[in-house]
Amino acid sequence: MDLRIFTEPQQGADYETLLTVAKATEDLGFDAFFRSDHYLKMGDADGLPGPTDAWITLAGLARETSRIRLGTLMTAATFRLPGVLAIQVAQVDRMSGGRVELGLGAGWFAQEHEAYGIPFPEEKFGRLEEQLEIVTGLWATEVGKTYDFDGTYYQLKDSPALPKPAQGRVPVLIGGHGARRTPRLAARYADEFNMPFSSVEDTAAQFGRVRDAVAEAGRPADALTYSNALVVCVGRDDQEVARRAAAIGREVDELRTNGLAGTPAEVVEKIGRYAEVGSTRLYLQVLDLSDLDHLELISDKVQSQLP
């Protein structure tokens, strides 16, 4: 089971804070550092000092880390034109020496689009599908050849399809709860399917739908990695769990139900339940980025107990 650290900087974090957490992620033996791609806070957080751009952040971290994978859960297709996104991701991948992964979603948070003057189209899923086709198509085009695309929402003509990522193909993550279109997209374009903030039972059902779609697409059964994103709140005892829950404005019982919360033994047991339904990778949503002791505890007492 791979453990990855997943942050939500729109709730309030500058680049230096993210760098500190990313370096701790690397030093403590976690597999990757991921971040959300949002420009507006959610809920009661103050969001200070203001938003940071996901791909600018990852470009900086690419040069200041050496081992961990870096990526987004999820970049919003509404934020960037697909040709520009392909260039950005390929460049950051080269800057990192081939350690980048692209999580790409349709975009959903209308208020952040309104706040920063970003168009929020009614038809988002069709745009996402065209973006996936374009981004992966640009990367796959042979050097010296050109790429063309004539879609409903985007048109490209005689694109040199440069630059190329260091990896050749950057792993693509697709996720979500949709029962029909999402599994189909994952089966066609994804290297990993991520189920965000879901129970073991709902995870098992959605993984089954994606596996069926993969088989229908003619891809090998093991073509995709299956993963979950879950909020994490671990303490050495109940008092420490309660203190960490209070720090992020959540209730312990709710976190135990909807996330990975409790003592290390409790969290290891619940991780095992996700592993039983096919999850091999977890994105641990860490909401208090000042609490590096939390990461140390997870590394020492949870990660060390996993196969």
Side-chain angles (χ1 to χ4, degrees):
M1 179 68 74
D2 293 334
L3 295 187
R4 296 181 159 192
I5 300 303
F6 170 41
T7 62
E8 301 273 5
Q10 75 278 356
Q11 300 302 91
D14 59 14
Y15 175 75
E16 291 302 323
T17 298
L18 295 172
L19 175 59
T20 298
V21 175
K23 286 186 171 180
T25 298
E26 185 156 272
D27 292 344
L28 292 169
F30 293 105
D31 182 59
F33 175 93
F34 271 59
R35 59 156 293 164
S36 61
D37 191 4
H38 286 293
Y39 292 130
L40 195 68
K41 71 180 183 70
M42 302 168 195
D44 296 330
D46 60 25
L48 296 175
T52 51
D53 182 84
W55 288 100
I56 290 176
T57 297
L58 295 174
L61 298 180
R63 306 302 293 175
E64 300 196 70
T65 58
S66 60
R67 178 187 62 80
I68 50 174
R69 307 288 294 176
L70 301 165
T72 51
L73 280 182
M74 300 282 188
T75 282
T78 50
F79 286 175
R80 299 167 182 87
L81 296 171
V84 174
L85 180 62
I87 291 169
Q88 289 174 317
V89 177
Q91 182 179 5
V92 178
D93 191 54
R94 297 186 76 87
M95 291 168 69
S96 73
R99 293 183 286 124
V100 160
E101 303 182 13
L102 170 64
L104 188 60
W108 60 270
F109 190 18
Q111 292 95 317
E112 68 185 337
H113 294 74
E114 294 169 1
Y116 287 97
I118 303 167
F120 190 63
E122 182 175 343
E123 174 47 60
K124 292 178 284 296
F125 206 89
R127 292 173 186 271
L128 170 62
E129 184 163 10
E130 289 194 7
Q131 287 221 2
L132 287 163
E133 175 71 31
I134 291 165
V135 170
T136 57
L138 287 168
W139 292 337
T141 299
E142 253 182 76
V143 175
K145 295 188 177 180
T146 59
Y147 177 82
D148 294 275
F149 183 83
D150 186 16
T152 301
Y153 306 103
Y154 305 103
Q155 295 80 39
L156 287 75
K157 184 172 177 57
D158 294 332
S159 173
L162 298 171
K164 301 301 185 192
Q167 297 174 84
R169 176 185 166 90
V170 171
V172 172
L173 289 72
I174 295 174
H177 302 86
R180 208 169 37 86
R181 297 173 78 182
T182 297
R184 178 180 59 79
L185 274 192
R188 182 172 179 185
Y189 295 106
D191 300 281
E192 178 177 336
F193 180 78
N194 180 263
M195 190 62 171
F197 310 113
S198 300
S199 68
V200 173
E201 295 74 19
D202 288 345
T203 295
Q206 185 70 331
F207 282 2
R209 295 183 194 104
V210 174
R211 290 191 185 98
D212 288 345
V214 168
E216 289 173 11
R219 295 178 69 186
D222 61 353
L224 270 64
T225 296
Y226 293 86
S227 65
N228 288 86
L230 293 161
V231 63
V232 66
C233 181
V234 185
R236 294 172 181 83
D237 51 37
D238 288 344
Q239 290 75 23
E240 192 167 78
V241 175
R243 174 176 64 77
R244 288 201 162 107
I248 60 175
R250 303 279 285 269
E251 297 293 330
V252 172
D253 288 347
E254 178 267 322
L255 286 169
R256 279 195 164 103
T257 299
N258 298 318
L260 298 172
T263 63
E266 289 177 289
V267 170
V268 168
E269 186 276 332
K270 192 165 186 181
I271 289 174
R273 290 164 55 198
Y274 281 96
E276 287 173 0
V277 299
S279 187
T280 61
R281 180 173 291 158
L282 292 177
Y283 294 81
L284 306 180
Q285 185 194 44
V286 176
L287 296 175
D288 184 355
L289 300 184
S290 67
D291 187 1
L292 297 183
D293 289 342
H294 192 197
L295 297 185
E296 292 182 15
L297 177 64
I298 296 168
S299 174
D300 184 39
K301 300 299 184 183
V302 175
Q303 183 168 240
S304 64
Q305 303 302 313
L306 299 175

